[in-house]
Amino acid sequence: MTLHFAGKKILTGAIVFSLVTGSGVMLPNQIQVSAAALTTPFKDVSSGHWAEKHIAKLALQGIIAGNTTTSGAFVFRPSENVSQQEAVLMALRFAGLDKKADQDAIIGFPTSFEVSSYFKPYVTLAFQEGLLDQAEEFELAAKDPKVAWGTKAATREWVTKLMVRAIDQEEEALRLQNTASSFTDSAQINSLYKGYVNAAAKLELVKGVTATKFDPKANVNRASLATMFSRAESIFPVAYEGQTSGIVTANTAASLTLFSDKKETNYAIDADTLFYHYNSETPITREQLVDYGDVTVIAKDGKAKYVEVKGDKQYTKTVTGTLDRVIADEKKIYVWINNKPVEIYYNDAVTVVDTDGKALALSAIKRDSQISIVQDTFRETPLALKIVASSQAAATSATGTFYSADGQLVTIMSGSVLVSKFVADTVTVEIDGINGATVNDLIKEADQVELTLNDKDQVTKIKVANRNVKTLAGAQVASYVYDKKLLTIVDASGGNAQALYFTDKTRIEYSGNVISLASANSLLTQNRKIVISYTGDSIVSLQFITKYTGSLVSMNSAANLMTLRLDGGATAAVPYNSAYVEHPTIANAGLSDLKAGDLLTLELNSTQDRVATVKVHLNAQYEVVSLDTINKKVRVKNIATAAFDLAVLNTELLNDVGAKLTVDQIPVGSIINVNYIGKQAVTARIVPVTLGTVQAIAANSVTIVSLAGQTITYNGEVGFTISKGASLGSATNLLAVGDYVEVQKPEGASTLITAAVGESRVFTSYNASTGQIWTEKVSDSDNRNYFNVTSSTKYTLNGAVGTVTALKAGDKLTIYGFRNNAIAIVK
């Protein structure tokens, strides 16, 4: 065995280290990072801890570890001091040098330089690799013989020097040795460390305990050291297993797609995935990721565990030109740009819309149309991400009464003339109430149809505008002959008997479920109440009545009759007597709470002769405050309603495009539309909300630039509802260019645009852990003197772009936002 004395060597290697506990060393095979539903794997690092981001990242990278207590808890001990010998081992592992330590060497140190046996090979290696100066450390140990050098608590100034040497920045420290420090307690910094403290501050590896105080003699705890090493990665980048940096190309509630090394990789994400921004210590949401921006992902088994935004730039560009042709087989288009034909490629993910935002098939864009193309700038061959085309001329059409179809021709009666059209290779059929309808579902001489024709005069779509169908609500079965499929019915009064026939196209429903004629046979008994639709003597649909749904027409209290108008226009008068009323927002509702026009579901008693329960339909809009994923509840509120828990165990949860969600996938702070039937919330759907600034205004359109930098034009085809302060109306001139706005575009309804009115406030403090700024109260009852801020919040300080950390107590601010969420702050 050899006797080692240290010498200096150039630092090389990768970063791998493990924090050690005061009771012993955690070896690499003891690293654990699997603790479900925790922001970090450590029980003693709670959500909101100031170093949570850095501890979580380093744990997932396999850089730090903790140990298991006697009670079985896996802990990190973030506030425990780090000894000098432990810090040395950490730095060596950080630099990928620990494996070079000779565990069999016989090592001799001066008696004044006391190091625990386990750490001796690592301290020797640190001398050899230049992380420590041997003569300097021997001298320091001799000056303080009462405390062993190894177990002595590492101070902030001592660790700073070790860190700077570990990332190979000693030259910068030497250059800054005589530079004046920005810290007011710089006189307390040992001359051995002044250059290193200056270098570390410049590189933002360390910060003062306050804005002006460094506190060089203070001990360093484990959370602080984890933060230092985490920040060091920005200037000393290292590849870790499972870690990838790239550009976001797709971002959904279930997955994230990353472009890196000339390929795209999909990562699953869920409620446990952590999201952070490079310039913030607090978590962000998935929705705050920058589309086509830089991120780093740490993944395990195909699932993203940690995602960090690395910049705010979008790697896209927009070009405009005139479409020449589409070559679908090669997935490319030719566009005339500046009088030159340019080849542009696309893939199946490309979005194609017209200037009104309506989806288009690429093949539907006519040659010589003006188009705008958003392309990526990160692929060797850029792909079109979005194509916006000028409005296309509507396809020609024909209308009439369906007459026949034979697979090649569709014939309609237009007026008194039969008109036949060839069909295209693919024909879609749309009939309300029938999913996946085909030509065989059309009813001759009953269906009024609209034919959509392509430029070759071929039928591409057949839509049933209405059917010449009669509907009888409250009819009764008189008799049924099974072998002849003959049903005799009478109306609600017992008269006007009619003989009708079932066909193989008849739709039969019981309690909302479609059943066969064979299954319905036992139900077609005398006096059974039904809703029946027919054309001629053919039955189109039959519904066994267990309930009615429709708009309330009237209530006759003398006769105890309630009349509803059902879908299709038919009416039903049903006795109600002492029916129970279930209203979404009225605790003890009664019949007097019902009014004409209300949408109701009337549930009948077992004999079908009167109403047992009245359930009122209602739509309400709420802001999501918090989630209870265990008990399947969503805490919501709105202007008229204080926060309450909405049970959603049996509620269909949908995102803004109609895809199903689970409770944990609903973003806190989102707006949801809830559809009630009685007390039951049947559906809850996220309302698409876009925040931004108004860029341009026309009589029938409003263009905004979203907080993500996208330009979006909203057209008023269904109208606008615009709110600005006390003003409410539909005219776009209520808005002004530069207004901060929130835009909601409910399907089939007017576009809702709310302009934020600046609120004057006096700044008091900023809480980075909660992401909130606090202001002075304007009155004793003012309980909303805080505002949530995110990485998307814009700061304008004295006319220039600023940051939240530049604000000082007493600053007078104008805050623009919605529901205590600030989108812009102006000083």
Side-chain angles (χ1 to χ4, degrees):
M1 298 186 184
T2 57
L3 182 67
H4 285 286
F5 292 95
K8 189 169 182 179
K9 188 187 290 184
I10 299 296
L11 174 66
T12 59
I15 303 175
V16 176
F17 84 97
S18 173
L19 291 182
V20 293
T21 68
S23 57
V25 178
M26 292 302 297
L27 300 178
N29 62 4
Q30 293 174 284
I31 292 174
Q32 301 180 39
V33 292
S34 57
L38 293 174
T39 54
T40 76
F42 308 112
K43 294 291 186 182
D44 57 348
V45 181
S46 60
S47 178
H49 188 281
W50 65 269
E52 171 190 3
K53 170 184 177 180
H54 306 291
I55 294 171
K57 180 173 69 171
L58 298 188
L60 289 167
Q61 289 171 328
I63 294 174
I64 64 172
N67 66 356
T68 303
T69 65
T70 55
S71 64
F74 188 57
V75 297
F76 179 68
R77 295 176 178 168
S79 59
E80 184 174 279
N81 290 336
V82 177
S83 71
Q84 292 188 155
Q85 61 191 12
E86 291 171 340
V88 169
L89 177 55
M90 297 172 202
L92 287 169
R93 288 178 172 169
F94 177 83
L97 300 172
D98 59 303
K99 298 281 192 298
K100 295 176 66 176
D102 188 350
Q103 303 293 341
D104 296 323
I106 297 175
I107 300 171
F109 286 141
T111 56
S112 60
F113 190 79
E114 189 176 345
V115 177
S116 302
S117 297
Y118 177 83
F119 292 96
K120 283 184 178 180
Y122 298 107
V123 174
T124 299
L125 181 61
F127 288 150
Q128 293 172 336
E129 296 293 335
L131 274 69
L132 294 176
D133 184 290
Q134 178 178 280
E136 181 180 293
E137 298 302 325
F138 283 180
E139 183 180 349
L140 289 172
K143 289 180 179 179
D144 191 9
K146 293 182 179 180
V147 180
W149 181 94
T151 57
K152 181 180 180 181
T155 63
R156 285 170 56 81
E157 61 182 10
W158 186 89
V159 162
T160 299
K161 183 173 183 177
L162 180 67
M163 281 283 300
V164 170
R165 286 190 168 202
I167 64 171
D168 205 15
Q169 291 292 322
E170 186 173 12
E171 287 187 8
E172 182 68 2
L174 294 175
R175 189 179 68 81
L176 297 173
Q177 174 65 28
N178 297 318
T179 302
S181 172
S182 60
F183 296 113
T184 57
D185 58 349
S186 60
Q188 298 176 28
I189 302 173
N190 190 309
S191 61
L192 294 173
Y193 309 119
K194 283 189 176 180
Y196 295 95
V197 172
N198 285 337
K202 178 182 177 183
L203 296 170
E204 295 186 346
L205 297 180
V206 297
K207 296 181 179 180
V209 293
T210 69
T212 60
K213 183 180 179 182
F214 182 68
D215 201 4
K217 310 302 181 187
N219 297 332
V220 176
N221 62 31
R222 293 162 58 77
S224 295
L225 196 54
T227 302
M228 291 179 186
F229 279 111
S230 174
R231 288 173 178 158
E233 291 181 12
S234 65
I235 57 174
F236 196 73
V238 176
Y240 297 100
E241 183 180 358
Q243 179 168 309
T244 307
S245 293
I247 296 171
V248 176
T249 58
N251 175 13
T252 71
S255 68
L256 189 72
T257 304
L258 206 64
F259 182 87
S260 180
D261 292 334
K262 301 181 182 180
K263 64 180 181 181
E264 288 183 308
T265 304
N266 290 318
Y267 298 95
I269 59 177
D270 60 20
D272 293 332
T273 302
L274 304 176
F275 295 93
Y276 283 92
H277 193 277
Y278 71 94
N279 68 355
S280 174
E281 303 292 315
T282 56
I284 63 173
T285 63
R286 176 185 63 82
E287 292 79 8
Q288 290 174 275
L289 297 183
V290 179
D291 289 339
Y292 306 107
D294 290 311
V295 299
T296 292
V297 172
I298 303 173
K300 184 177 181 181
D301 299 327
K303 176 188 169 184
K305 298 283 191 177
Y306 179 98
V307 182
E308 183 172 351
V309 176
K310 305 304 291 185
D312 298 317
K313 178 182 177 181
Q314 282 187 303
Y315 292 90
T316 61
K317 66 177 181 179
T318 302
V319 297
T320 58
T322 303
L323 178 66
D324 184 85
R325 66 188 64 187
V326 178
I327 305 176
D329 290 344
E330 299 179 33
K331 284 189 168 30
K332 68 179 179 181
I333 61 176
Y334 282 99
V335 182
W336 286 93
I337 300 174
N338 296 327
N339 295 319
K340 294 180 180 179
V342 177
E343 187 178 63
I344 294 177
Y345 286 85
Y346 64 93
N347 61 18
D348 293 335
V350 66
T351 301
V352 185
V353 296
D354 64 15
T355 50
D356 294 327
K358 296 177 181 177
L360 286 177
L362 193 54
S363 59
I365 304 177
K366 293 181 171 54
R367 191 172 185 175
D368 296 327
S369 294
Q370 292 294 311
I371 61 174
S372 177
I373 304 159
V374 179
Q375 290 178 285
D376 67 60
T377 59
F378 49 85
R379 293 183 175 92
E380 288 184 353
T381 302
L383 285 179
L385 307 172
K386 184 177 183 179
I387 300 174
V388 182
S390 57
S391 297
Q392 304 296 296
T396 55
S397 61
T399 60
T401 304
F402 176 70
Y403 188 80
S404 67
D406 62 6
Q408 293 184 324
L409 288 172
V410 172
T411 301
I412 63 174
M413 179 71 73
S414 181
S416 59
V417 179
L418 288 174
V419 177
S420 296
K421 298 286 184 181
F422 286 101
V423 298
D425 293 337
T426 302
V427 179
T428 59
V429 178
E430 292 184 5
I431 304 174
D432 286 345
I434 301 179
N435 293 323
T438 68
V439 172
N440 293 330
D441 293 307
L442 298 171
I443 301 176
K444 180 180 178 180
E445 299 180 6
D447 286 337
Q448 298 297 310
V449 296
E450 297 175 356
L451 307 182
T452 299
L453 310 174
N454 62 19
D455 53 5
K456 297 178 182 178
D457 203 37
Q458 296 172 326
V459 178
T460 58
K461 183 171 75 172
I462 305 171
K463 180 179 180 179
V464 175
N466 59 70
R467 282 185 156 164
N468 186 19
V469 174
K470 296 178 181 179
T471 299
L472 191 59
Q476 300 178 51
V477 175
S479 65
Y480 174 56
V481 181
Y482 178 76
D483 58 343
K484 296 185 181 300
K485 299 182 180 180
L486 172 63
L487 180 71
T488 304
I489 63 169
V490 293
D491 63 19
S493 65
N496 298 319
Q498 296 184 72
L500 303 172
Y501 292 89
F502 287 99
T503 72
D504 56 1
K505 297 179 184 178
T506 303
R507 181 182 178 88
I508 306 173
E509 292 185 21
Y510 183 83
S511 292
N513 298 312
V514 177
I515 62 174
S516 66
L517 181 58
S519 299
N521 182 44
S522 61
L523 299 173
L524 293 168
T525 56
Q526 190 173 22
N527 297 325
R528 172 76 70 174
K529 292 183 175 61
I530 57 175
V531 175
I532 190 166
S533 297
Y534 59 94
T535 179
D537 61 1
S538 297
I539 302 172
V540 176
S541 67
L542 181 146
Q543 178 185 352
F544 292 100
I545 297 175
T546 58
K547 60 185 177 183
Y548 292 101
T549 296
S551 299
L552 179 62
V553 176
S554 63
M555 293 178 63
N556 186 331
S557 57
N560 279 342
L561 279 178
M562 188 179 299
T563 302
L564 293 189
R565 186 175 305 281
L566 311 180
D567 287 344
T571 58
V574 191
Y576 60 84
N577 288 6
S578 57
Y580 172 72
V581 178
E582 189 176 303
H583 195 287
T585 60
I586 300 175
N588 298 303
L591 294 168
S592 60
D593 293 305
L594 306 179
K595 57 183 182 298
D598 281 349
L599 182 61
L600 309 175
T601 290
L602 308 182
E603 295 181 348
L604 305 181
N605 62 7
S606 58
T607 58
Q608 296 181 294
D609 61 355
R610 64 191 63 252
V611 179
T613 303
V614 180
K615 293 187 175 181
V616 180
H617 293 230
L618 187 70
N619 290 316
Q621 189 174 95
Y622 303 108
E623 177 189 359
V624 176
V625 177
S626 62
L627 306 174
D628 182 349
T629 57
I630 295 175
N631 297 304
K632 307 300 182 187
K633 294 181 180 180
V634 179
R635 192 160 184 81
V636 297
K637 67 177 182 178
N638 59 23
I639 294 175
T641 306
F644 70 96
D645 290 327
L646 175 68
V648 293
L649 178 62
N650 298 310
T651 304
E652 185 177 40
L653 306 176
L654 305 170
N655 67 10
D656 55 355
V657 295
K660 291 186 178 181
L661 300 174
T662 55
V663 176
D664 59 325
Q665 293 174 318
I666 300 175
V668 172
S670 61
I671 305 299
I672 58 173
N673 277 340
V674 178
N675 170 239
Y676 290 94
I677 299 179
K679 296 294 186 183
Q680 174 62 42
V682 179
T683 62
R685 182 167 181 167
I686 294 175
V687 178
V689 175
T690 303
L691 299 174
T693 55
V694 176
Q695 184 185 61
I697 302 168
N700 295 308
S701 68
V702 176
T703 301
I704 74 163
V705 177
S706 73
L707 296 185
Q710 296 174 309
T711 301
I712 306 169
T713 299
Y714 296 93
N715 292 289
E717 64 273 6
V718 192
F720 291 106
T721 299
I722 298 173
S723 172
K724 186 174 183 180
S727 300
L728 179 67
S730 59
T732 58
N733 60 12
L734 285 173
L735 299 171
V737 172
D739 278 350
Y740 296 100
V741 293
E742 176 186 78
V743 184
Q744 298 180 34
K745 193 169 175 56
E747 186 176 352
S750 61
T751 301
L752 307 176
I753 303 179
T754 304
V757 177
E759 187 172 346
S760 296
R761 289 279 181 173
V762 176
F763 177 76
T764 59
S765 63
Y766 166 60
N767 188 328
S769 63
T770 61
Q772 292 175 329
I773 68 167
W774 289 80
T775 64
E776 292 180 1
K777 289 191 172 188
V778 297
S779 66
D780 291 340
S781 60
D782 182 11
N783 60 0
R784 53 174 305 277
N785 60 316
Y786 69 93
F787 296 85
N788 301 312
V789 296
T790 69
S791 58
S792 297
T793 303
K794 308 297 183 185
Y795 301 91
T796 304
L797 309 181
N798 300 319
V801 175
T803 63
V804 66
T805 55
L807 297 176
K808 296 181 179 61
D811 282 348
K812 294 181 179 179
L813 307 178
T814 302
I815 301 176
Y816 298 87
F818 303 93
R819 299 175 297 279
N820 282 73
N821 298 314
I823 63 173
I825 296 175
V826 180
K827 172 185 170 183

